[in-house]
Amino acid sequence: MAVRCQSPLQLKLHHISTTNSTTQPRPTVTFFPKSHLQSSLKFNLSVSAVPKSVAVTAEPEPVFTSVKTFAPATVANLGPGFDFLGCAVDGIGDYVTLRVDPNVHPGEVSISDISGAGSKLSKNPLWNCAGIAAIAVMKMLKIRSVGLSLSLEKGLPLGSGLGSSAASAAAAAVAVNELFGGKLSVSELVLAGLESESKVSGYHADNVAPSIMGGFVLIRSYDPLELMQLKFPHEKDLFFVLVNPEFEAPTKKMRAALPLEITMSHHVWNCSQAGALVASVLQGDLRGFGKALSSDKIVEPRRAPLIPGMEAVKKAAIEAGAFGCTISGAGPTAVAVTDDEETGRKIGERMVEAFLDGGNLKALAMVKQLDRVGARLVSSIPR
């Protein structure tokens, strides 16, 4: 199983020593993991427009015998926003069906079925992202008197760069919460999903937070955890062109390709582009958004060569009229942005051709809109 490098990352500014005393030291930025902090990490979640929850003091009764939930795919990083920016994509994602099951030991969850693109996944809830998130919510709710049976329908391919593990975790967390009357807040659901992500794909919230919350989400801080929801104007049209090639890009491999040090100039550049990206989202400026999306100088230059044809795909997307194009998450999916669905289809066709011509890879293109809702209840059966 591919494991994402431990995150969050601390920044440490320093100077590289040089043997030439007459040469000014070159400022750099070093990235190193905070794995030594994770065992004692405290979470304080600050989410705009999300009310604080009331602590659960007694075990709630289930209000449904069965629920079905959906959680959307996500695009993480968005170019210069490595590990701190992400958004939800409408129309594709994972489904979880959860029911009270007298054959399951009270206080536990059993995974009864996994269908769709998840045939390789373990049914052991301790090693499955949906199971881990479900257990986390059950602990928050103090569920001890009933057992639950969970069925996972994978609509997202594994290792696609579309937040597959996060979608499963988000759908499961919301399912357990809804089954018992929706006692937990959005912030607590994100924490449950993050617990799953940290054990399955690495400590990062740029997929699971937008999958649960919908829209664009900025991770302001990991210690303590603080999230900010960015409101993209409702009157603006935004379409994502997602092109997924038949190629595996294990997150562990893609993380290993990242530099341990970067120059100060690249650090400043990426910070400015990330700031421009956030401003463009809030203003609904798609041209500015696309320009910033395409301007990463730290992560994409290291990962693109590992995805056959990626550089040609990005060029083809821009030439076909996309406002911008980059790698979705760790890849291999490429994402381009536009303001018109038909234009998006044409861009997708050119990107598919570029993957085939430039990387000898078959690919599938989809044109999707921003998911502004996030994980939600789809259906339920009352008691």
Side-chain angles (χ1 to χ4, degrees):
M1 177 182 293
V3 180
R4 194 167 179 174
C5 289
Q6 293 297 305
S7 182
L9 302 175
Q10 285 183 323
L11 297 180
K12 180 182 178 182
L13 298 180
H14 71 98
H15 295 287
I16 294 180
S17 61
T18 177
T19 56
N20 186 351
S21 60
T22 62
T23 303
Q24 291 295 322
R26 180 168 62 94
T28 66
V29 178
T30 294
F31 295 91
F32 61 98
K34 295 200 297 184
S35 56
H36 61 287
L37 293 178
Q38 292 182 12
S39 61
S40 61
L41 197 60
K42 296 181 179 180
F43 303 104
N44 292 320
L45 192 60
S46 174
V47 184
S48 60
V50 175
K52 294 182 179 179
S53 68
V54 177
V56 177
T57 56
E59 179 182 357
E61 292 286 332
V63 298
F64 302 108
T65 58
S66 175
V67 297
K68 185 175 183 179
T69 56
F70 169 80
T74 47
V75 174
N77 301 338
L78 296 170
F82 176 69
D83 269 9
F84 67 87
L85 281 172
C87 68
V89 178
D90 188 35
I92 51 173
D94 288 0
Y95 289 90
V96 161
T97 300
L98 188 75
R99 62 184 178 88
V100 176
D101 190 341
N103 295 317
V104 177
H105 191 277
E108 296 183 0
V109 61
S110 172
I111 298 178
S112 59
D113 181 63
I114 300 176
S115 61
S119 60
K120 296 181 180 180
L121 295 176
S122 172
K123 287 187 178 181
N124 184 337
L126 299 177
W127 293 99
N128 182 287
C129 43
I132 296 170
I135 292 169
V137 174
M138 291 178 73
K139 288 181 178 179
M140 290 178 178
L141 292 172
K142 301 180 173 63
I143 303 302
R144 303 185 186 92
S145 62
V146 298
L148 305 177
S149 180
L150 184 152
S151 175
L152 173 62
E153 182 182 339
K154 289 294 298 177
L156 296 174
L158 306 180
S160 60
L162 292 172
S164 179
S165 63
S168 296
V174 170
V176 176
N177 190 46
E178 291 293 335
L179 191 75
F180 292 94
K183 303 294 183 182
L184 301 182
S185 68
V186 170
S187 59
E188 289 166 314
L189 294 176
V190 170
L191 289 177
L194 184 56
E195 182 173 338
S196 173
E197 286 284 82
S198 67
K199 294 179 179 178
V200 175
S201 66
Y203 187 89
H204 59 100
D206 50 343
N207 288 115
V208 72
S211 187
I212 289 176
M213 298 165 62
F216 289 91
V217 177
L218 183 151
I219 294 86
R220 182 182 182 183
S221 167
Y222 275 99
D223 183 19
L225 182 65
E226 296 181 62
L227 307 179
M228 300 179 69
Q229 197 160 28
L230 308 177
K231 299 295 185 180
F232 185 80
H234 277 275
E235 65 274 13
K236 297 284 187 175
D237 290 324
L238 170 58
F239 293 91
F240 296 95
V241 184
L242 304 168
V243 181
N244 180 231
E246 295 181 354
F247 180 78
E248 289 190 19
T251 304
K252 183 176 182 180
K253 178 181 178 181
M254 303 305 276
R255 283 263 171 176
L258 301 182
L260 295 178
E261 295 183 343
I262 61 171
T263 64
M264 179 63 77
S265 62
H266 282 176
H267 170 58
V268 172
W269 170 265
N270 264 42
C271 286
S272 66
Q273 299 309 307
L277 191 148
V278 170
S280 297
V281 167
L282 297 176
Q283 295 171 1
D285 176 9
L286 288 186
R287 292 187 181 276
F289 175 64
K291 184 177 180 180
L293 183 88
S294 304
S295 300
D296 173 32
K297 287 188 177 181
I298 297 174
V299 177
E300 184 183 312
R302 294 300 187 100
R303 287 179 167 173
L306 302 180
I307 304 173
M310 181 61 211
E311 294 179 6
V313 169
K314 181 173 183 176
K315 181 179 179 181
I318 301 299
E319 291 179 349
F323 296 138
C325 179
T326 189
I327 302 170
S328 178
T333 295
V335 56
V337 292
T338 183
D339 60 356
D340 179 75
E341 186 173 8
E342 183 58 34
T343 301
R345 292 194 185 97
K346 295 177 181 178
I347 293 169
E349 291 173 1
R350 300 288 86 76
M351 293 171 70
V352 168
E353 291 173 359
F355 261 128
L356 186 60
D357 295 339
N360 198 29
L361 295 177
K362 294 181 180 179
L364 174 67
M366 301 174 286
V367 181
K368 302 294 181 180
Q369 290 184 287
L370 180 70
D371 185 306
R372 299 175 183 268
V373 179
R376 61 266 202 183
L377 181 67
V378 174
S379 63
S380 60
I381 300 175
R383 296 192 73 186

